[in-house]
Structure formats: C-alpha cells, structure tokens
C-alpha cells in the first residue's frame, strides 16, 4: 500500500500516559482522555502511544467510567462524517408519525456485543419490526465477536439485498423521504477508525472502542429513543449514566442474566431506564407564556431532569413463555440468519417459535421506550384490532402492548414493507 503523500504530524501524549500509569490515574480528567483519543481519528498518534492509551484505559478501568465513555463517544461523533442536520430534521418531521409520547423522532436498538452467545441477530431484526411504527437509525457493523453481524445479515438477504454502503452522510435525508428504515454502516460514517483497526486486532482484548459503538451513532443528537444491550451486568448502570450524560432522555439499557446483550427469552433481564420528569427543585414559572419560564441563571435548578430507574423483566411480563437460550442459538452464518429473518417477516415461522418470541420481546422494549405504547387508542392500520393492552409491568412499561404492536408489524406485513422500502431506495441510489 502506498504511503500517504503528506502524513499528518504525530502528537505526543506522554504526560497523559504517565498520569494514567501513575497512582492518580482515577483523577485524570475525562476531557483530556477524550482529546487524546480524538487524535486517533486523524492518525496523529503513533501506534505505540495509541496501543498504550487503550491498554492503560483498560487496566485502570477508566474505560468503564461513564464520563470518560460519554466524552470519548462525543469525540468519536465529532470526527464522523457529518450529516446535514437541517435536511435530516426536515425529512424526519415530514415522515415521523407521533403517537402516545413518541414524538416521531429517530430511534436505535443496539448491543455492545462480546457476550459470547452468538444468538440470532435479534437487535437488527427488532429494528426492522420497529420501523413499522418508528423511524429507525440502526447503527452497526460487520461481525467482530460473533458469526453474523448486523451488516453481514443485511447483505445476505436474497434475492436482492440492500446496498448498505449507499446510506451516507449525504444520502441519509433522501433515504428517510422514502422509508422509515436506515442502516448506518459504521465504516461509512467513521472513516478514522481505520487507523486503529490493526492495533485493536493486535491487542487481543476488548478496548474502549467496543463500548463506544452504541453511543457513536452519527445522528446521536437526534435520537429520540435508545435500547442498548450490554454483555455484563456491571456495565448496565455505567451505560445508563453515560447515556444520561450524553443528553439522552428516553433509553433502556438491558442485560440478560446470562450476560446476554439483549432482553433474554430465558429468564431475568436486568434493566436501567432513563425517564425524564419535572424537577421538584425547579422554582420558575410553569407557564410557557410567562417571561420567567426560561432563565439565564446557569446555577438554577433545571425545569426537567432525567432519572435512572432499575428493575427486572421476565418473559411473563411480555405475556410470553420462557425459552432456553439453546432454542435460539447458536446463531448461524449470515446467509442462514437472513433466511430466518425473511421467513419471520413473511409469516412463515410458527407464531410460538422461540426466535419469534425472542424478537417480539426486544421489539416491544423499543416501542415502550419510544412511547407509542402510551397511546390510549390504537390506529396502526389494517389488521389492528385497536385493543390497547393497558396493563403496566415492571418500570411502569406496557410491555404486553409492545408485543401486540410487534406482532402486528409482522402479521400486517408492515415490517416487510419497511425493509423492502430500504432495499429499494439503497439500490436506487447507484452506490456500490
């Protein structure tokens, strides 16, 4: 490979590395760590210092610090290909359908990976089902620790699959003019990651970049609702706080008791939900027309706050039976998983198939978090009986109503139509 004609000048971060290697490593400011990490995306760190930084963050566990994760994710998004926000907002405004407490914004469902279970591509399938009612910006990549990543699955759809490379920072607003679904292929939006790829491979352990992925969606500031799966229970409150620090107001972080980065179909799932509420400490006017509704006092208590609630979910909370993980794994190769995806969307799998139940639960969770399940009436379209299930379960969520809507997405054919729209628009953009 030819070398760059004018390679960028490298920057030394030796003082930062010395601080991280010393007794005061826990006091190194998160902003300094993020600034150093940002140099990677411009190829301005030497391989030795890059690997040292990633290793020190790992051994000091600063890569599990919520503020470090939030700051580094922000740096990663700043280095990403930038979307025309005005054009995207207009496309979302025109296409998004408000329902319940869902405001018609973009949503994402994603996992950190690394759980070692290699289950069926649940989050990707759930994102397709959810796009029957929500606008989806599914951020993902090819497999790194499993046999079938989200990009691998989508590219294996036959006979005609989507051109995942066609969704770029420039074309994304156009995509949403024609479909509710977009897959944001990470290499197209984060080209700077190519500089660290060989180093990550040589290190042989999971680095902070494995944790940044779910927070590195290039349209993060426009994401209304998130569902994030983590592979270890200890990461749950860490990610929930990182999301809160990043400005998220609607989010659910989940971890199956088997260290599964999905909602488990086998038993308990640990959950951490971000909920926005009125701040009892706020002392300003409640009338939006009042001149004192807003304040320039930066030290004043904010009008609304985001709190984190912890609870547990089980299949019964969704009105579904439990299934051993052995019934939904091991995940197969991309082609086989794509065949299962299409059979599910075409209603060729039994309604009580374990994979169907697994997908329904994870789709339902995004519907609940986004807010469509808060609606007192239901007018989804053909095949909707309109019977809203108003029972509330753990965390105050209408999980069974989420399942009702997820089933409708399959049985009405709306999820299949959303996927077909995505396939059609990406093939029409002429990028391969």
């Amino acid at each position: 490979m030819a070398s760059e004609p004018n390679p960028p000048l490298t920057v030394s971060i030796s003082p930062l590395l010395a601080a991280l290697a010393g007794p005061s490593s826990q006091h190194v400011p998160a902003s300094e760590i993020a600034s150093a990490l940002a140099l990677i995306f411009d190829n301005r760190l030497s391989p030795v210092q890059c690997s040292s930084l990633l290793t020190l963050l790992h051994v000091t566990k600063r890569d599990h610090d919520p503020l470090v994760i939030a700051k580094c994710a922000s740096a990663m998004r700043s280095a990403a290909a930038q979307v025309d926000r005005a054009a995207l907002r207009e496309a979302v405004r025109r296409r998004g359908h408000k329902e319940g407490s869902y405001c018609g914004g973009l949503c994402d469902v994603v996992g950190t990976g690394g759980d070692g279970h290699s289950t069926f591509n649940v989050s990707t399938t759930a994102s397709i089902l959810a796009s029957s009612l929500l606008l989806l910006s599914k951020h993902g990549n090819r497999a790194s620790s499993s046999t079938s990543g989200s990009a691998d699955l989508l590219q294996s759809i036959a006979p005609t699959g989507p051109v995942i490379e066609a969704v770029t920072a420039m074309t994304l607003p156009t995509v949403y003019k024609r479909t509710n679904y977009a897959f944001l292929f990470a290499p197209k939006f984060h080209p700077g990651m190519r500089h660290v790829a060989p180093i990550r491979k040589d290190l042989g352990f999971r680095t902070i970049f494995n944790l940044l992925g779910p927070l590195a969606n290039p349209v993060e500031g426009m994401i209304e609702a998130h569902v994030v799966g983590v592979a270890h229970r200890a990461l749950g409150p860490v990610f929930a706080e990182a999301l809160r620090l990043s400005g998220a107001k609607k989010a659910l972080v989940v971890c199956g008791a088997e260290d599964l980065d999905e909602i488990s179909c086998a038993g308990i799932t640990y959950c951490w939900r971000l909920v926005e509420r009125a701040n009892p400490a706020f002392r300003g006017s409640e009338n939006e027309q009042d001149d004192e509704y807003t304040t320039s006092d930066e030290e004043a208590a904010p009008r609304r706050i985001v709190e984190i609630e912890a609870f547990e979910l089980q299949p019964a909370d969704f009105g579904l039976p439990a299934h051993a993980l052995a019934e939904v794994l091991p995940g197969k190769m991309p082609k086989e998983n794509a065949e299962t995806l299409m059979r599910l969307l075409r209603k060729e799998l039994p309604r009580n198939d374990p994979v169907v139940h697994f997908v329904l639960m994870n789709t339902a969770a995004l519907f609940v978090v986004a807010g469509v399940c808060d609606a007192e009436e239901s007018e989804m379209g053909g095949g909707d009986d309109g019977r809203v299930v108003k029972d509330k379960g753990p965390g105050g969520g209408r999980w069974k109503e989420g399942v009702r809507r997820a089933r409708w997405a399959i049985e009405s054919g709306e999820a299949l139509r959303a996927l077909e729209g995505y396939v059609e628009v990406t093939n029409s953009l002429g990028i391969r």
Side-chain angles (χ1 to χ4, degrees):
M1 179 183 293
S3 60
E4 296 181 55
N6 294 299
L9 295 175
T10 58
V11 175
S12 174
I13 58 168
S14 294
L16 174 69
L17 297 177
L20 286 171
S24 299
S25 61
Q26 301 306 309
H27 300 294
V28 176
S31 57
E32 292 186 14
I33 293 172
S35 294
L37 197 83
L39 296 170
I40 293 173
F41 308 124
D42 293 326
N43 198 24
R44 299 184 67 193
L45 275 190
S46 71
V48 170
Q49 291 210 330
C50 180
S51 60
S52 297
L53 175 61
L54 298 180
T55 301
L56 285 168
L57 291 177
H58 180 73
V59 299
T60 61
K61 297 194 180 300
R62 291 303 304 278
D63 58 1
H64 282 46
D65 179 326
L67 186 56
V68 170
I69 293 173
K71 293 279 189 183
C72 289
S74 177
M76 189 171 172
R77 294 193 302 270
S78 294
Q82 297 300 303
V83 178
D84 183 335
R85 296 287 172 129
L88 181 57
R89 283 193 189 92
E90 180 60 17
V92 169
R93 186 188 68 80
R94 289 179 176 275
R95 189 162 193 93
H97 176 70
K98 297 179 182 180
E99 186 173 10
S101 59
Y102 172 55
C103 299
L106 302 173
C107 304
D108 191 11
V109 51
V110 63
T112 60
D115 61 14
H117 289 294
S118 293
T119 55
F120 173 73
N121 296 92
V122 177
S123 64
T124 307
T125 305
S127 71
I128 294 169
L129 264 64
S131 67
S132 59
L133 298 175
L134 311 174
L135 296 184
L136 263 291
S137 286
K138 170 65 176 166
H139 184 227
N141 207 338
R142 295 193 174 92
S144 60
S145 59
S146 65
T147 55
S148 178
S150 50
D152 305 308
L153 175 78
L154 293 171
Q155 288 187 307
S156 298
I157 291 173
T160 302
V163 181
I164 63 173
E165 296 88 351
V167 179
T168 66
M170 292 184 63
T171 64
L172 187 59
T174 300
V175 172
Y176 282 122
K177 290 178 181 178
R178 297 169 58 181
T179 179
N180 281 9
Y181 191 84
F183 178 74
L184 281 57
F185 185 38
K188 296 295 293 186
F189 287 85
H190 297 286
M193 286 296 293
R194 70 185 186 278
H195 302 305
V196 73
I199 293 171
R200 292 175 65 193
K201 183 177 181 180
D202 287 346
L203 285 176
F205 57 81
R206 292 175 66 80
T207 71
I208 191 171
F209 285 111
N210 295 94
L211 302 179
L212 295 182
L215 293 173
N217 192 315
V219 295
E220 174 63 31
M222 296 181 65
I223 298 289
E224 179 177 345
H226 305 72
V227 171
V228 179
V230 295
H232 303 288
R233 185 178 180 182
L235 282 174
V238 170
F239 253 84
E241 179 63 10
L243 280 162
R244 192 185 69 80
L245 291 170
S246 298
K249 297 177 181 178
K250 292 180 179 178
L252 181 69
V253 180
V254 300
C255 180
E258 310 85 359
D259 282 343
L260 181 72
D261 69 339
E262 319 276 3
I263 290 179
S264 176
C265 62
I268 293 172
T269 296
Y270 303 109
C271 303
W272 299 264
R273 186 177 180 181
L274 273 64
V275 181
E276 186 182 28
R277 291 195 175 92
N279 184 359
F282 179 71
R283 294 295 178 263
S285 171
E286 295 299 329
N287 183 355
E288 291 187 32
Q289 306 305 317
D290 195 313
D291 289 340
E292 296 182 359
Y293 180 75
T294 59
T295 176
S296 59
D297 185 354
E298 294 182 358
E299 295 183 1
R303 179 176 300 279
R304 301 184 68 79
I305 55 175
V306 176
E307 296 181 330
I308 299 172
E309 298 180 348
F311 55 91
E312 297 176 3
L313 285 172
Q314 300 199 46
D317 296 315
F318 295 89
L320 297 171
H323 299 281
L325 283 187
E327 297 183 64
V328 294
L329 58 82
K332 298 179 173 61
M333 298 305 291
K335 181 179 178 181
E336 296 169 288
N337 282 353
E339 290 172 352
T340 299
L341 164 65
M342 297 311 295
R343 288 183 63 207
L344 184 151
L345 295 178
R346 291 170 179 149
K347 298 170 282 186
E348 295 171 359
L349 291 180
R351 294 181 88 251
N352 62 350
D353 188 285
V355 168
V356 173
H357 286 172
F358 198 12
V359 171
L360 290 176
M361 284 186 275
N362 283 273
T363 307
L366 186 54
F367 281 155
V368 168
V369 174
V372 293
C373 296
D374 296 333
E376 296 303 313
E377 298 178 352
S378 176
E379 298 178 354
M380 292 184 287
D384 178 15
D385 60 13
R387 298 175 182 174
V388 176
V389 182
K390 298 183 180 180
D391 295 348
K392 291 186 177 181
R398 291 179 174 176
W399 311 105
K400 293 175 184 176
E401 170 64 5
V403 168
R404 185 186 76 86
R405 288 173 175 268
R407 279 216 185 268
W408 171 86
I410 297 173
E411 295 177 0
S412 67
E414 198 61 34
L416 178 59
R417 283 189 286 275
L419 175 63
E420 290 173 340
Y422 164 64
V423 171
E424 180 182 345
V425 70
T426 58
N427 277 272
S428 71
L429 290 172
I431 301 173
R432 290 191 174 274

